[in-house]
Amino acid sequence: MTRETTGPSAMERLLATLDLEPIEVDIFRGRSPQAGWQRVFGGQVIGQALMAAQRTIEGERFVHSLHAYFMRPGDPSVPIIYQVERIRDGSSFNTRRVVAIQHGRAIFALSASFQLEEPGFDHQIAMPGVAMPEALLGEQQIKEQYLAHAPEAIRKYWQRERPIEIRPVSLTHYFSDRKLDPRQDVWVRATGPVPDDRLYQAAVLAYLSDMTLLDTALYAHGTSIFDQNLQVASLDHSMWFHRPCKLEDWLLYTQDSPSASGARGLTRGSLFTRTGVLIASVAQEGLIRKKANE
């Protein structure tokens, strides 16, 4: 089949979603893919807000950190308006604040800092030794071998076409109620070409950084985000961009959850290239609450 008959790929749709429409100075409009979701995926809002901030930065300055709060669920049926405030333009650093608005109310806020690249000290932690992605089951094999008897929520998750392929090192968590150590390793990669453009590369990396992360906080409790008795939602999200990466190959997303308490769970993540280069670090706290009995 040709692309004309099959339509755009999932990655092409993601890139179009990140390509915001400028509607005024420092104001942009973003749209959501109509994928049947009840709320906008958090990674999409992070990626779009980062893209809005990036488009107000001049010169060779690139994002090195972002910090964000989710305040209300996003409505995928209407556009999201992104308002950018230019907090500071310095000799080396630029700071931007972005507020995402729907139905006249803020749903999300992000602060991001950008830096003119310069040399300096350089070190990193080592990538954990795990099986390479080629040694693991692919998504099609997972569908064929496991999904026939899996709960409906898990089947829908794995059967949906996504711009990012996920290949967990272990699948035990998805099909067992065993209490496990609160850590996981997941290989991720783009399912289509990402432009050789650092603005898009950073936005796609921010998008995928929200995938699988909060679920790690549930490992110790023998459940998952697919549990219909749980209310699970991201509360905040922080990310540090250490080194540029073209997203042409698999990335290892290694995650751990140091704490869960007060109906909240904290998860940390590190993103490595296949060769062990640490390209980004992530931290997220999320709501993890048992629903009241009806």
Side-chain angles (χ1 to χ4, degrees):
M1 288 187 178
T2 64
R3 177 58 61 195
E4 287 73 21
T5 58
T6 60
S9 68
M11 177 52 67
E12 289 169 339
R13 290 195 296 270
L14 173 57
L15 295 175
T17 299
L18 295 173
D19 187 17
L20 304 177
E21 175 191 359
I23 57 176
E24 244 300 351
V25 176
D26 296 345
I27 302 177
F28 303 85
R29 180 187 286 120
R31 302 185 184 277
S32 302
Q34 300 306 300
W37 294 359
Q38 293 183 338
R39 61 186 182 183
V40 178
F41 170 53
Q44 174 195 315
V45 186
I46 299 170
Q48 287 182 325
L50 175 57
M51 183 62 82
Q54 290 181 135
R55 290 190 169 169
T56 69
I57 301 293
E58 298 179 358
E60 293 295 303
R61 296 170 185 238
F62 301 100
V63 63
H64 70 86
S65 69
L66 63 82
H67 305 276
Y69 283 94
F70 297 91
M71 294 175 283
R72 294 182 177 89
D75 181 352
S77 67
V78 300
I80 306 173
I81 302 301
Y82 294 92
Q83 296 182 343
V84 183
E85 184 179 0
R86 303 185 185 221
I87 303 296
R88 179 177 184 269
D89 288 318
S91 59
S92 299
F93 290 87
N94 302 68
T95 307
R96 297 290 184 265
R97 183 171 185 268
V98 185
V99 177
I101 299 171
Q102 279 188 320
H103 304 296
R105 300 190 297 177
I107 65 168
F108 174 87
L110 173 144
S111 294
S113 183
F114 301 80
Q115 182 186 13
L116 182 68
E117 291 191 317
E118 57 184 281
F121 294 111
D122 196 325
H123 78 274
Q124 68 161 79
I125 60 173
M127 183 175 77
V130 300
M132 290 291 105
E134 291 78 10
L136 304 172
L137 292 178
E139 289 195 354
Q140 186 59 38
Q141 293 172 300
I142 292 173
K143 294 174 185 177
E144 293 173 352
Q145 297 185 29
Y146 290 98
L147 290 189
H149 305 289
E152 182 181 1
I154 295 179
R155 290 202 308 272
K156 286 184 177 180
Y157 178 79
W158 285 100
Q159 289 172 348
R160 181 185 295 119
E161 183 188 9
R162 297 190 297 266
I164 305 299
E165 181 178 357
I166 300 172
R167 196 166 289 190
V169 172
S170 172
L171 293 170
T172 302
H173 170 61
Y174 292 103
F175 305 103
S176 169
D177 58 2
R178 287 171 47 199
K179 294 183 178 181
L180 307 170
D181 289 339
R183 67 174 316 277
Q184 72 166 327
D185 298 293
V186 182
W187 289 98
V188 294
R189 71 170 175 183
T191 57
V194 177
D196 188 13
D197 178 327
R198 288 185 58 176
L199 303 190
Y200 277 97
Q201 290 163 2
V204 171
L205 196 64
Y207 173 92
L208 70 82
S209 72
D210 193 39
M211 301 179 74
T212 75
L213 192 62
L214 189 54
D215 203 26
T216 309
L218 296 170
Y219 270 51
H221 308 281
T223 186
S224 77
I225 58 172
F226 300 115
D227 187 340
Q228 300 298 306
N229 296 313
L230 293 179
Q231 180 185 1
V232 181
S234 302
L235 295 173
D236 61 22
H237 192 92
S238 294
M239 188 169 185
W240 297 265
F241 299 78
H242 307 306
R243 298 166 180 87
C245 179
K246 293 188 176 183
L247 309 183
E248 296 174 334
D249 198 359
W250 289 99
L251 302 174
L252 178 65
Y253 202 179
T254 181
Q255 307 165 11
D256 76 292
S257 177
S259 176
S261 65
R264 303 182 315 276
L266 174 67
T267 306
R268 304 175 296 194
S270 299
L271 281 155
F272 296 89
T273 67
R274 177 194 291 270
T275 58
V277 177
L278 178 65
I279 61 170
S281 298
V282 183
Q284 182 180 93
E285 189 173 49
L287 175 69
I288 304 174
R289 174 189 291 155
K290 288 188 176 181
K291 295 179 181 177
N293 293 328
E294 298 181 359

